[in-house]
Amino acid sequence: MYIGKSYNIFEFLTWTKAKIYTLLFLGFIPVCLYHIFGVKWVAIPWSVIAMLGTATAFILAFKNNLSYNRSLEAQEVWTTILSNSRSWGLVSQDYIENNEASKTLIYNHLAWITALRYSMRTYQSWETTDKKHNINYRKHFKIPEQQTTLEEELAEYVKPEMLENILKARNTATYIMSLQSKTLKSLYEKQEITVAHFIDMEKSIKEFYNLQGKSEHIKHSPFPRQYNIINNLLIQSFSFLLPYGLLADFNKLNDSVDGFMKGNMIWLIIPFSCLISWLYASIAQVGENTENPFEGGANDVPISQISFQVEAELREMLGEASIKDLSIHQNNIIL
């Protein structure tokens, strides 16, 4: 998540520079054909461009709205995880007099949220982290889950004999939560927790499972590919045809100017067509990098930061100091 006031224009231009170069080239070709080689028939009516631009704007707005909704849903899920985790830390201490048992329940929960955030960072084929513009931009920040392994992180919370089985599990977060439930059952059988408290905490586990499922649904369900291909086709078609639709109009401007620019107004098509197409393409690129809110991009939901915050607050409840630095942000980016 970017926490600055705004990206600066230089950052944004750098992030989209590949598209700028392509659009400048696409604008140069029709101008050369029309102005230098005299191929006048390449000019197309502006009405065609207007219709195509309108259709592109509609589908672009639709796609970006869906992308934002996915990101917003992901933010809501992890905000709920944060709130419920605070409640879990509270009841783990208030319901159980055995301090060691309380600590086990809290540490198991920290292990669960750690396993969940690591699973959210796994690469999916439809994500955009492997695209060149995102690879280049990642020099501004580091993804915490790529700095340490899951095994190293979980070793802080669970016993070595349990860690091996957890790492072998198909879904580590699910397995850890099942261990949490078994721990609760054991406490109930030992009469260290009342039936009312046992039921209440089991309901909390069910809620955590629901939140995990919602998070996994967003992670493993890509934005509908049918809308994605239509969006790309429209933007590419519009960007390619736009300079051809401007040829006749810019050529007419030569009649109203004098001096150096007379006869050369048509060359202005290159920067203006690039600017217009760049705006469309940039909006599309922003939407593309918003639709996968856990992939490890600069605009992602800060699940690592939320996890670190949960750990800091729950450790504080236990009277321990957090080993995670919550103040860290890299170039106004928190993950």
Side-chain angles (χ1 to χ4, degrees):
M1 175 183 287
Y2 187 81
I3 59 174
K5 288 186 177 180
S6 174
Y7 288 102
N8 65 59
I9 188 63
F10 177 76
E11 282 182 312
F12 200 76
L13 289 173
T14 302
W15 187 54
T16 58
K17 64 181 180 181
K19 285 183 169 57
I20 294 174
Y21 297 150
T22 301
L23 294 171
L24 287 172
F25 179 71
L26 290 177
F28 180 75
I29 293 175
V31 172
C32 286
L33 291 174
Y34 188 91
H35 187 61
I36 297 178
F37 297 103
V39 185
K40 304 297 183 181
W41 57 265
V42 297
I44 61 177
W46 174 250
S47 57
V48 174
I49 304 301
M51 293 177 63
L52 184 59
T54 302
T56 304
F58 274 117
I59 192 66
L60 190 58
F62 173 73
K63 181 178 183 293
N64 276 32
N65 185 58
L66 290 182
S67 297
Y68 175 74
N69 287 339
R70 279 171 62 88
S71 181
L72 184 61
E73 182 183 357
Q75 181 72 56
E76 290 174 349
V77 168
W78 276 81
T79 300
T80 306
I81 288 176
L82 172 61
S83 300
N84 289 7
S85 295
R86 289 167 174 162
S87 298
W88 180 262
L90 188 65
V91 299
S92 294
Q93 288 196 299
D94 290 350
Y95 287 178
I96 302 169
E97 295 182 1
N98 185 329
N99 292 335
E100 192 61 33
S102 296
K103 182 177 179 179
T104 298
L105 290 174
I106 289 177
Y107 270 39
N108 284 347
H109 184 75
L110 295 178
W112 170 77
I113 200 171
T114 299
L116 182 58
R117 69 177 168 90
Y118 267 82
S119 69
M120 293 298 100
R121 296 296 192 206
T122 55
Y123 174 74
Q124 302 295 330
S125 60
W126 56 81
E127 293 179 342
T128 62
T129 51
D130 60 342
K131 292 197 172 183
K132 189 174 181 180
H133 55 265
N134 286 331
I135 293 174
N136 291 336
Y137 194 76
R138 271 207 303 276
K139 66 183 180 181
H140 296 292
F141 62 92
K142 294 180 180 179
I143 302 172
E145 289 72 27
Q146 294 180 358
Q147 307 307 307
T148 57
T149 65
L150 176 60
E151 182 177 1
E152 291 172 334
E153 290 286 325
L154 291 180
E156 299 177 15
Y157 313 117
V158 298
K159 297 177 181 178
E161 58 269 21
M162 295 173 58
L163 181 58
E164 184 177 354
N165 291 331
I166 290 173
L167 294 174
K168 289 179 180 178
R170 183 181 181 87
N171 187 316
T172 54
T174 299
Y175 186 80
I176 291 170
M177 195 56 77
S178 71
L179 294 178
Q180 185 79 297
S181 182
K182 289 178 181 178
T183 302
L184 272 180
K185 183 179 179 182
S186 175
L187 291 172
Y188 173 67
E189 290 173 346
K190 295 176 182 178
Q191 300 297 308
E192 294 187 32
I193 185 173
T194 67
V195 62
H197 292 163
F198 173 71
I199 293 173
D200 186 41
M201 296 185 79
E202 282 290 345
K203 286 181 179 178
S204 295
I205 288 179
K206 181 181 178 181
E207 178 62 20
F208 283 126
Y209 266 139
N210 289 336
L211 292 169
Q212 177 184 331
K214 290 178 180 179
S215 186
E216 290 173 340
H217 172 71
I218 296 171
K219 175 68 179 180
H220 300 300
S221 300
F223 184 89
R225 298 295 93 185
Q226 63 270 31
Y227 294 120
N228 194 62
I229 185 63
I230 290 295
N231 183 72
N232 290 338
L233 284 175
L234 283 171
I235 290 176
Q236 291 169 7
S237 299
F238 177 76
S239 299
F240 177 78
L241 294 175
L242 177 61
Y244 293 90
L246 296 174
L247 289 170
D249 288 335
F250 271 77
N251 190 49
K252 291 177 184 177
L253 294 177
N254 289 313
D255 299 333
S256 59
V257 297
D258 295 313
F260 171 75
M261 290 305 298
K262 188 173 182 63
N264 293 309
M265 291 297 291
I266 198 168
W267 290 102
L268 294 178
I269 287 176
I270 297 175
F272 279 104
S273 66
C274 177
L275 175 62
I276 296 170
S277 296
W278 173 76
L279 291 173
Y280 276 78
S282 296
I283 294 172
Q285 188 167 312
V286 168
E288 181 183 55
N289 284 270
T290 304
E291 65 190 46
N292 300 304
F294 301 129
E295 64 183 0
N299 300 304
D300 278 10
V301 174
I303 60 175
S304 300
Q305 182 76 3
I306 291 173
S307 298
F308 298 160
Q309 185 175 347
V310 168
E311 177 173 349
E313 294 182 7
L314 266 57
R315 282 184 180 273
E316 192 174 62
M317 291 181 184
L318 293 172
E320 300 176 356
S322 174
I323 58 177
K324 301 291 194 306
D325 187 354
L326 296 178
S327 64
I328 292 179
H329 63 81
Q330 309 160 74
N331 297 302
N332 289 323
I333 296 170
I334 57 173
L335 294 173

